[in-house]
């Protein structure tokens, strides 16, 4: 599932994927993969991203479970 919350928070800081990657110590490709939903980051990386963007884990990474029919 795409992480549009992360992309939106990053954009609100006018921060490129490369800039965020540099801040948290990963590659731009890693940030891109997280935003596209192709990579599940470690909790340590999630926390680093949250601290950099001033958000909580819930704000950036929590997903509601699918509704049961």
């Amino acid at each position: 599932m795409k992480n549009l919350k992360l992309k939106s928070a990053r954009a609100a800081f006018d921060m490129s994927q490369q800039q965020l990657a540099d801040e948290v110590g990963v590659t731009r490709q890693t940030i891109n993969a997280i935003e596209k939903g192709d990579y599940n980051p470690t909790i340590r990386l999630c926390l680093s991203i949250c601290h950099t963007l001033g958000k909580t884990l819930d704000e950036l990474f929590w997903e509601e479970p699918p509704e049961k029919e």
Side-chain angles (χ1 to χ4, degrees):
M1 175 176 274
K2 288 187 177 184
N3 191 329
L4 299 177
K5 294 184 278 187
L6 173 55
K7 187 174 183 176
S8 175
R10 181 178 56 74
F13 274 83
D14 197 29
M15 185 178 276
S16 69
Q17 288 181 343
Q18 185 63 59
Q19 289 169 319
L20 178 58
D22 291 344
E23 285 288 323
V24 299
V26 297
T27 65
R28 182 202 57 79
Q29 290 85 351
T30 298
I31 300 300
N32 184 53
I34 295 169
E35 289 183 359
K36 287 174 42 181
D38 293 340
Y39 176 72
N40 288 322
T42 64
I43 190 71
R44 177 171 280 163
L45 178 53
C46 289
L47 287 170
S48 184
I49 291 169
C50 288
H51 291 145
T52 299
L53 297 176
K55 299 287 185 178
T56 66
L57 284 170
D58 284 353
E59 290 172 321
L60 292 184
F61 294 100
W62 183 257
E63 293 180 16
E64 291 296 327
E67 291 189 26
K68 295 179 180 175
E69 293 182 21

